[in-house]
Amino acid sequence: MNKTIASAALTAAAALAPVAALAEGHYVPGVEGIQAASVPPPGLYYLGYLVNYDIGSFRAPGSSSNLPGHNTGTVTALANRVVWISNTKLLGADYGMEAIVPVMRTSLTVNAAGISDSRSGVGDIYVGPLVLGWHGQQWDAVAAAGIWLDNASTSHPASPGKGFKSTMLTGGATYHFDAAKTVTGSALMRFERNGRNDAGFRPGNQITMEWGLGKNFGTVQAGLVGYSQWQVSDDSGAGASTHRSSRHAVGAEVVYPIPSAAVFLKAAAYKEVRAEAGTGAYPKGSLVRFTIVKSF
């Protein structure tokens, strides 16, 4: 990397380190997998997502090349999600609401920007007043809308907050290839329209696509999962460029139900196969997720 590129990488990494730990927007890809677009029947549900994202490298701004030097990080988060699905019908769908409260621990070592920082705290909270779930004979579909707040701290590079609000729209479908619903395919899309931070910088809007192909093996379900995430509009404000970030990952998931406790246990592992940075430094790594779903 020549001196000009290295200098630009340093500046961008230092400026955007607080938001570089997971992505440009709020939504973390890889938290949903097999049958991701299937909304449960009416009831109250708790979903706990324990996620560990191991950052093996940071991409230099505007490229798929690594920043120079030793640059790594780890983000461990427990996203606490509560979903309520009512008996009310809206547009032929079951109507519900949801909220997500993430608790995070982030450690960053970005020698290219002189950063070494670790922080823990409550992340930005998501409030979703609209969840719609449709159910056909061999298909399910979902649509949802909500807002990511900017309640969390942004005072240090590894602070859990993004520093801006985001509006998130969701849509997706699950298809069961047989009447017994033993083989399924699903795709779930999230669109985030990001707001501006206090410095006047606005990250570009982002689309995340998560997919899964699953098969039942007795009571256990297993299959392939993956995600892709694209920045679909340019950043704006001081230091913005026309470069757009993206990432792509593949992995596997296992789902184990415990009917007597009304619980589902899920485990998944992803490996990012490609990542390209936008305006600032961008991570590339691997993700491991454990999920518990409990109905009440």
Side-chain angles (χ1 to χ4, degrees):
M1 179 178 291
N2 62 40
K3 290 183 178 179
T4 301
I5 297 176
S7 176
L10 259 162
T11 302
L16 294 183
V19 302
L22 284 177
E24 297 285 356
H26 284 88
Y27 186 71
V28 180
V31 297
E32 302 290 356
I34 299 173
Q35 296 190 46
S38 295
V39 175
L44 181 64
Y45 302 86
Y46 168 78
L47 298 90
Y49 306 87
L50 180 60
V51 178
N52 181 265
Y53 182 54
D54 184 49
I55 303 169
S57 61
F58 283 91
R59 294 311 202 213
S63 78
S64 56
S65 300
N66 292 340
L67 285 173
H70 178 69
N71 308 292
T72 61
T74 301
V75 182
T76 301
L78 174 61
N80 300 283
R81 181 184 182 192
V82 176
V83 180
W84 174 65
I85 305 298
S86 73
N87 290 305
T88 301
K89 293 290 185 180
L90 181 61
L91 301 177
D94 296 332
Y95 166 76
M97 298 182 290
E98 62 179 334
I100 302 173
V101 180
V103 181
M104 304 170 62
R105 172 68 176 176
T106 302
S107 297
L108 297 174
T109 300
V110 188
N111 288 342
I115 292 172
S116 180
D117 190 33
S118 296
R119 303 285 164 181
S120 299
V122 176
D124 292 333
I125 293 171
Y126 176 77
V127 179
L130 179 67
V131 177
L132 299 176
W134 292 269
H135 304 282
Q137 193 167 25
Q138 286 186 224
W139 60 270
D140 302 304
V142 62
I147 296 175
W148 288 98
L149 306 178
D150 59 348
N151 57 280
S153 171
T154 59
S155 56
H156 297 87
S159 293
K162 295 290 186 179
F164 55 86
K165 295 183 177 69
S166 298
T167 300
M168 188 169 76
L169 304 178
T170 298
T174 297
Y175 183 74
H176 306 278
F177 291 94
D178 60 331
K181 299 183 178 181
T182 63
V183 181
T184 63
S186 66
L188 184 70
M189 187 192 77
R190 313 273 194 181
F191 170 77
E192 293 175 87
R193 187 185 187 282
N194 298 318
R196 294 186 181 275
N197 63 19
D198 291 340
F201 182 85
R202 189 178 83 84
N205 298 331
Q206 180 172 276
I207 286 179
T208 303
M209 179 67 75
E210 297 174 280
W211 57 267
L213 295 171
K215 178 175 172 53
N216 289 356
F217 299 91
T219 58
V220 176
Q221 188 179 41
L224 298 175
V225 290
Y227 61 78
S228 290
Q229 194 169 61
W230 302 272
Q231 182 182 341
V232 294
S233 67
D234 294 342
D235 297 337
S236 62
S241 76
T242 57
H243 300 300
R244 299 183 182 183
S245 59
S246 64
R247 67 175 70 204
H248 309 276
V250 294
E253 182 179 39
V254 176
V255 181
Y256 181 75
I258 307 177
S260 60
V263 166
F264 281 87
L265 300 177
K266 305 180 181 182
Y270 297 79
K271 177 67 176 178
E272 290 183 343
V273 295
R274 180 174 174 79
E276 186 168 348
T279 297
Y282 199 69
K284 179 176 181 288
S286 56
L287 183 145
V288 175
R289 167 185 42 92
F290 298 96
T291 306
I292 180 170
V293 182
K294 168 66 178 176
S295 64
F296 296 94

